[in-house]
């Protein structure tokens, strides 16, 4: 199933968090930090301005992005975690 966000929303697939520390210690699920990077799966139509026009998104499908730790709303789509967030919650795009 494909998720198509509305308006200025963006659907992001979080990338897996590190399972080991730099010293080689394996981290259990409970101590792993929530991922802050992901791939953009789909984007909405853009932000609606008061005059009725829309501004296109600065990110596009397939972009690798950095977002704040607790950004977005988690949803399960076909047993996979997807984050739906405002484009404003995206901090950077990896080049």
């Amino acid at each position: 199933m494909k998720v198509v966000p509305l308006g200025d929303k963006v659907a992001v697939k979080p990338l897996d968090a590190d399972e080991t520390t730099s010293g080689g210690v394996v981290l259990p699920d409970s101590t792993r930090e929530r991922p802050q990077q992901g791939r953009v799966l789909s984007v909405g139509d853009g932000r609606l301005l008061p005059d009725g026009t829309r501004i296109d998104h600065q990110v596009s499908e397939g972009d690798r992005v950095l977002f704040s730790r607790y950004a977005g709303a988690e949803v399960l789509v076909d047993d996979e975690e997807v984050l739906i967030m405002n484009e404003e919650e995206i901090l950077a795009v990896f080049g």
Side-chain angles (χ1 to χ4, degrees), residues 12-31:
V12 176
K13 170 75 174 140
L15 298 177
D16 292 332
D18 293 334
E19 295 181 9
T20 59
T21 64
S22 58
V25 176
V26 177
L27 298 171
D29 289 337
S30 61
T31 60

Side-chain angles (χ1 to χ4, degrees), residues 3 9-12 14 34 67 70-77 81-86 89:
V3 176
K9 304 287 191 275
V10 178
V12 176
R34 186 172 175 191
F67 48 87
Y70 297 104
E74 294 179 10
V75 294
L76 284 177
V77 178
E81 180 184 343
V82 175
L83 294 172
I84 306 292
M85 64 181 70
N86 290 324
E89 295 178 290

Side-chain angles (χ1 to χ4, degrees), residues 22-69:
S22 58
V25 176
V26 177
L27 298 171
D29 289 337
S30 61
T31 60
R32 283 190 216 153
E33 292 187 10
R34 186 172 175 191
Q36 291 181 265
Q37 296 181 28
R39 289 252 180 238
V40 176
L41 297 177
S42 59
V43 296
D45 296 334
R47 186 167 43 116
L48 184 62
L49 298 177
D51 66 359
T53 60
R54 290 198 181 268
I55 295 178
D56 289 335
H57 287 280
Q58 292 180 304
V59 297
S60 57
E61 292 182 16
D63 284 349
R64 184 174 171 196
V65 294
L66 176 71
F67 48 87
S68 59
R69 181 162 290 143

